[in-house]
Amino acid sequence: WNKTFKTGKETVVPFLFCVFLYVFIDNMTPSTWVPGGTSRFDYLITQPFVILHYFITFFLPFELSADTDWTILPSIWDIRFFVGILFVFTLLILGILFSKDKAKRPIAFGIFWFFLTLLPSSSIIPLAEVLNDHRMFFPFIGLSLSVTYSIYLFIIKPLVDHDTFSTKHKYLLAFTITLLSFAYAYGTYQRNKVWRSEESLWLDVTKKSPKNGRGLMNYGLEKMSKGQYNEANDYFHKALVYNPYYHYIFINLGILYDATGRSDSADYFYNKAIEYGANFANAHYYYGKFLKGRKNYPIAISEISKAIALSPGSYDYRLDLLDIYDKTRNWQELKTLAESSLQLFPENMDIKNYLNHAVNQKNTLDLNAEKVAKNATPENLLELSLQYYNEGKFQDCVDQATKATILKPDFADAYNNIGAGYIGLNEFDKAIPPLEKAINIKSDYTLAINNLNFAKSKMGLKNTVNTAVKVSAEDYIQQSLIYYNQKEYLKCIERCYKALEIKPNFDIAYNNICASYNQLKQWDKSIAAGKKGLLLNPNNQLLRNNLQVAIDAKAASK
């Protein structure tokens, strides 16, 4: 070490390589990539105090946070800068001094390990976060060596070598070590409780780092996923106070307001997301997905196309655009996109099916209609009418539901679909008789009651049906299935949780939650819901299948 330290010859090549690597990466990074960090100087002057924080945390890990809210220092005249610099220089000097003594070199080795492994995150590379708990892990390997060897060299060894070191002292030393081990074990147990779920983790972040906009947003996401929309809205707006230009928050506000039926506000938030995140594919994608749900296909195509241009390898983006082309019978664009997508995902059956649709010029709805024509059961006709309704083809919805009532005259769901189709056609007078028929068959049919009262209000008539009918868990499940078929997965989940409030042991609700989270690719939440449902009903094979899908997908994503 002394020879190396004096000559520096052995460090020249590694140093020059690091400089070359840094310049190469800096020049090869595209200008559109935004790391989110601040200036190099501001970041650099903050790091000495951050390093001191890491050092203290090694001994007293009380303020661990998965996503801290530390900010850069305002200037070098901040007292924290001087405290941090004093600590860094002191530790470096100790490392140099210990390196000169062979017996103490393990301590020096650990100190320099600590500093060298912190260089990528605590130097001139301005990362988005000033510090992160996980950045300590690798440096702590060296620090562990330094600390434990120092304890041995300066405390334990002198005590053991001393003539007065008795059995009593041995027991005291063993007790101290055991006590510290139990204390750190208890701390680990408490930290594992925090990391037990997404919700508990982000709740801890909001407490430990209350000015962290991303942490507040992520906790809001957990609330939204459970249908707790008011709480989610509060946390999203709290997050905006600290991150007013963070486009992810605006995306989530758009999703939230869309889920609660406030499409005008959702449109505003999606546009704000694009304003602040024009170079981020997801800002365009989620707005396009929202417009697709509103059947505003031309602008949806434009936005999702922008998302694909920014992120060509995204499967979800391509699948949604393929679906729009399929719905709008844009066969040439469907064929072109399907062929280019198959180059990326050559074995994907969904994309192959869309290519077949383009070649045969028949979309999903056309093929479903052909299947139903060959096997026209009341249930199949009802499902087809619902598909027509979701596509905005209200007259076709009425026609298919009417066929279902001919085959099954007491089919309340079909009469409801007829009424809903006429409402979609703005023919409210025609909607009233079939809806009244549905309610006569099923007196507590909440969906039909709401549709009837809506139609009557449009006709200027008073509501004559009790709107305070108690909604059953089964009603919520039926609503959740409608939302699932409409690909409104968050609404589906929200209805399932309402069902569970009425009927906590409803394994079907957990199945729908599991299936919805699979569609959202939130595998951990899907697995959690699936396991809860199987505890209630181990024989629910559909739930078991959905759970296995989540388990397999999570394993494949690692």
Side-chain angles (χ1 to χ4, degrees):
W1 166 263
N2 285 331
K3 183 179 178 181
T4 301
F5 182 75
K6 289 176 181 178
T7 64
K9 291 179 180 179
E10 287 83 352
T11 63
V12 172
V13 174
F15 177 77
L16 290 176
F17 177 75
C18 288
V19 171
F20 166 77
L21 195 61
Y22 174 77
V23 173
F24 176 78
I25 293 173
D26 191 55
N27 281 277
M28 292 299 292
T29 301
S31 58
T32 54
W33 184 74
V34 181
T38 181
S39 73
R40 298 185 194 281
F41 178 76
D42 291 338
Y43 187 84
L44 181 62
I45 65 172
T46 307
Q47 288 310 302
F49 193 72
V50 168
I51 294 171
L52 173 59
H53 167 77
Y54 290 155
F55 185 83
I56 294 172
T57 301
F58 179 85
F59 301 96
L60 303 171
F62 293 140
E63 292 301 318
L64 295 174
S65 175
D67 204 351
T68 69
D69 57 3
W70 277 43
T71 58
I72 60 171
L73 299 183
S75 73
I76 61 171
W77 305 112
D78 191 293
I79 186 64
R80 289 170 292 180
F81 171 73
F82 292 103
V83 172
I85 283 291
L86 178 62
F87 164 75
V88 169
F89 277 119
T90 300
L91 202 58
L92 282 172
I93 291 170
L94 285 175
I96 293 171
L97 292 175
F98 288 147
S99 70
K100 298 178 181 299
D101 186 341
K102 185 176 181 179
K104 299 173 183 175
R105 282 179 189 168
I107 303 174
F109 178 82
I111 290 173
F112 290 118
W113 177 298
F114 178 68
F115 282 115
L116 286 171
T117 51
L118 277 174
L119 278 177
S121 61
S122 294
S123 57
I124 60 172
I125 305 172
L127 302 176
E129 288 81 39
V130 174
L131 79 158
N132 261 321
D133 288 349
H134 65 265
R135 296 176 190 170
M136 299 183 279
F137 299 157
F138 193 34
F140 276 0
I141 295 174
L143 195 57
S144 297
L145 173 62
S146 288
V147 171
T148 53
Y149 191 74
S150 296
I151 292 172
Y152 164 75
L153 193 63
F154 298 118
I155 299 176
I156 297 177
K157 189 174 184 300
L159 286 174
V160 172
D161 292 344
H162 201 275
D163 294 338
T164 60
F165 189 73
S166 62
T167 302
K168 180 181 178 180
H169 291 114
K170 291 181 181 178
Y171 284 133
L172 181 61
L173 182 61
F175 174 77
T176 302
I177 294 172
T178 303
L179 184 64
L180 285 172
S181 299
F182 273 107
Y184 283 114
Y186 177 75
T188 302
Y189 173 74
Q190 293 299 319
R191 196 62 190 159
N192 284 338
K193 286 172 62 177
V194 169
W195 281 81
R196 178 179 53 193
S197 68
E198 292 277 343
E199 184 175 8
S200 60
L201 175 64
W202 292 112
L203 175 61
D204 182 72
V205 170
T206 63
K207 293 177 179 178
K208 300 277 186 64
S209 309
K211 295 181 180 180
N212 186 315
R214 184 169 59 188
L216 291 164
M217 180 195 73
N218 284 336
Y219 188 58
L221 280 172
E222 292 305 308
K223 291 295 183 182
M224 184 167 68
S225 70
K226 295 186 175 180
Q228 299 172 359
Y229 295 134
N230 290 333
E231 293 90 337
N233 188 49
D234 290 341
Y235 277 101
F236 289 157
H237 280 91
K238 287 178 183 177
L240 278 178
V241 173
Y242 303 107
N243 293 75
Y245 308 111
Y246 191 29
H247 77 281
Y248 277 104
I249 302 175
F250 289 104
I251 290 173
N252 289 315
L253 278 166
I255 294 171
L256 173 64
Y257 277 74
D258 182 31
T260 52
R262 292 173 282 182
S263 58
D264 289 343
S265 296
D267 190 274
Y268 165 79
F269 285 120
Y270 281 124
N271 276 286
K272 295 298 287 185
I274 291 174
E275 179 183 345
Y276 297 130
N279 292 327
F280 290 87
N282 56 3
H284 297 283
Y285 169 68
Y286 280 103
Y287 186 41
K289 192 176 179 68
F290 164 76
L291 293 169
K292 177 188 172 187
R294 307 277 81 75
K295 298 180 175 58
N296 188 345
Y297 294 129
I299 303 179
I301 289 171
S302 173
E303 291 300 327
I304 298 178
S305 296
K306 291 176 184 176
I308 293 174
L310 290 166
S311 181
S314 173
Y315 171 74
D316 291 337
Y317 299 176
R318 289 175 175 270
L319 199 65
D320 268 302
L321 189 53
L322 285 166
D323 192 49
I324 294 175
Y325 287 146
D326 187 62
K327 285 180 168 63
T328 56
R329 300 171 183 274
N330 195 335
W331 306 124
Q332 185 55 50
E333 294 294 339
L334 180 62
K335 184 174 182 291
T336 301
L337 181 60
E339 288 175 342
S340 67
S341 298
L342 281 174
Q343 293 178 9
L344 297 172
F345 311 100
E347 302 302 321
N348 188 275
M349 288 306 301
D350 290 329
I351 299 174
K352 288 182 178 180
N353 288 335
Y354 279 122
L355 181 58
N356 288 333
H357 293 181
V359 171
N360 298 315
Q361 297 193 357
K362 291 182 180 180
N363 66 12
T364 303
L365 198 52
D366 296 332
L367 296 172
N368 288 340
E370 289 181 358
K371 289 180 182 178
V372 173
K374 294 177 182 178
N375 183 25
T377 66
E379 291 73 22
N380 287 344
L381 288 164
L382 178 72
E383 178 62 28
L384 183 60
S385 77
L386 180 60
Q387 291 174 12
Y388 278 126
Y389 181 86
N390 292 336
E391 291 302 311
K393 298 184 176 183
F394 302 118
Q395 186 58 57
D396 289 325
C397 168
V398 171
D399 294 342
Q400 297 303 318
T402 300
K403 291 178 183 178
T405 61
I406 294 172
L407 296 175
K408 186 177 179 180
D410 61 344
F411 203 178
D413 290 333
Y415 287 110
N416 175 69
N417 280 19
I418 294 171
Y422 279 128
I423 290 174
L425 292 167
N426 293 323
E427 297 180 14
F428 304 108
D429 56 331
K430 293 182 180 180
I432 292 174
L435 290 169
E436 288 178 335
K437 179 76 172 176
I439 296 168
N440 287 334
I441 297 170
K442 185 178 178 182
S443 60
D444 60 348
Y445 197 169
T446 308
L447 192 57
I449 291 170
N450 291 338
N451 284 333
L452 177 59
N453 287 335
F454 178 79
K456 286 186 173 183
S457 69
K458 289 294 184 179
M459 293 288 294
L461 303 173
K462 291 184 179 179
N463 294 343
T464 57
V465 183
N466 179 18
T467 58
V469 175
K470 185 176 180 180
V471 182
S472 67
E474 287 73 15
D475 289 332
Y476 281 126
I477 290 300
Q478 184 180 7
Q479 293 173 21
S480 78
L481 288 172
I482 292 172
Y483 282 127
Y484 184 88
N485 290 330
Q486 294 174 342
K487 299 185 179 180
E488 299 281 356
Y489 302 117
L490 286 174
K491 291 182 181 178
C492 173
I493 292 167
E494 184 261 341
R495 291 300 187 275
C496 290
Y497 276 114
K498 287 186 178 294
L500 289 169
E501 290 176 5
I502 300 170
K503 191 175 179 181
N505 62 341
F506 207 177
D507 59 294
I508 296 174
Y510 283 112
N511 173 72
N512 291 5
I513 293 171
C514 180
S516 294
Y517 277 131
N518 278 347
Q519 294 297 326
L520 294 169
K521 295 181 172 56
Q522 298 184 25
W523 312 122
D524 288 332
K525 293 178 181 178
S526 178
I527 292 169
K531 288 181 177 179
K532 287 181 181 178
L534 286 178
L535 286 175
L536 297 170
N537 182 7
N539 297 320
N540 190 328
Q541 188 58 47
L542 182 60
L543 175 55
R544 190 175 297 279
N545 293 342
N546 283 323
L547 174 59
Q548 192 61 49
V549 168
I551 293 171
D552 292 344
K554 181 180 179 181
S557 65
K558 290 183 178 179

